[in-house]
Amino acid sequence: MKKLGVHWTRIPVEENLDECAWIEETRKRFYKSVITEAGKAKVVFSGHGIRFPNHFIGLGTIGKDMTLTRLKQAIENAFKEQQHEITGKTVCELMVHPGYKSIMGCGGCGEGPDLFACSDDREHELTTLKSSDLKEYLRSNNIRVCSFKELS
């Protein structure tokens, strides 16, 4: 992957998922299976020199589950223990899918847009992420938003 310019990847291991009481059990079980597989992938990616963030946020804050309070709590959980050092700083990925609702059958990737792409959840995420309260929270806590390319 590095030969193709891939230096960073997503490893969706979200800590404290059990604290997310708003996530129904069926979805939580699925997320836990994703986390288990991602944990196994860490070894493989590390062995090939592919890096990944120290922390991941996103499973507990997808779509309608994203609130400013939940984002703040997840960020505080991620940054309270800065044990790992990558480029001298703690790196935390916030997985989001903001945008405008797609129309079923129009666009998408391969087979058209999925149900999430056609839901109001994308616009909810967009509104939350654009909020002045979130921007102020990030600024006041010295948290910089950047791309993986900026980290390479």
Side-chain angles (χ1 to χ4, degrees):
M1 289 175 51
K2 278 186 100 171
K3 292 178 189 175
L4 299 173
V6 177
H7 301 279
W8 287 83
T9 193
R10 168 177 293 154
I11 300 289
V13 174
E14 185 160 353
E15 300 165 21
N16 304 312
L17 193 66
D18 284 326
E19 295 173 16
C20 301
W22 56 90
I23 302 175
E24 60 276 4
E25 273 309 308
T26 304
R27 200 162 41 119
K28 197 175 277 188
R29 275 194 305 276
F30 171 71
Y31 291 163
K32 286 180 179 183
S33 71
V34 169
I35 289 168
T36 299
E37 293 304 313
K40 295 174 188 176
K42 281 183 173 185
V43 176
V44 176
F45 286 121
S46 293
H48 292 287
I50 305 297
R51 297 187 292 179
F52 42 86
N54 310 100
H55 302 282
F56 172 87
I57 299 169
L59 299 175
T61 55
I62 287 176
K64 66 180 177 356
D65 292 336
M66 182 183 287
T67 66
L68 186 57
T69 301
R70 290 174 183 165
L71 282 175
K72 286 178 179 180
Q73 185 61 56
I75 291 167
E76 288 165 14
N77 286 341
F79 283 94
K80 73 178 162 190
E81 293 183 32
Q82 298 186 12
Q83 345 172 349
H84 305 287
E85 294 294 319
I86 294 181
T87 64
K89 299 184 187 309
T90 296
V91 177
C92 178
E93 177 182 358
L94 173 58
M95 178 184 73
V96 295
H97 301 89
Y100 297 102
K101 185 167 44 171
S102 296
I103 299 169
M104 191 55 80
C106 296
C109 183
E111 298 178 10
D114 61 13
L115 293 177
F116 182 79
C118 296
S119 74
D120 292 329
D121 288 352
R122 293 192 67 205
E123 293 181 31
H124 172 77
E125 285 190 9
L126 180 64
T127 300
T128 304
L129 294 167
K130 288 174 45 179
S131 76
S132 57
D133 289 341
L134 180 59
K135 290 176 187 175
E136 175 56 27
Y137 172 79
L138 296 173
R139 188 197 61 70
S140 66
N141 285 280
N142 200 30
I143 298 172
R144 185 173 71 88
V145 177
C146 66
S147 68
F148 282 124
K149 186 174 184 174
E150 293 175 74
L151 297 172
S152 296

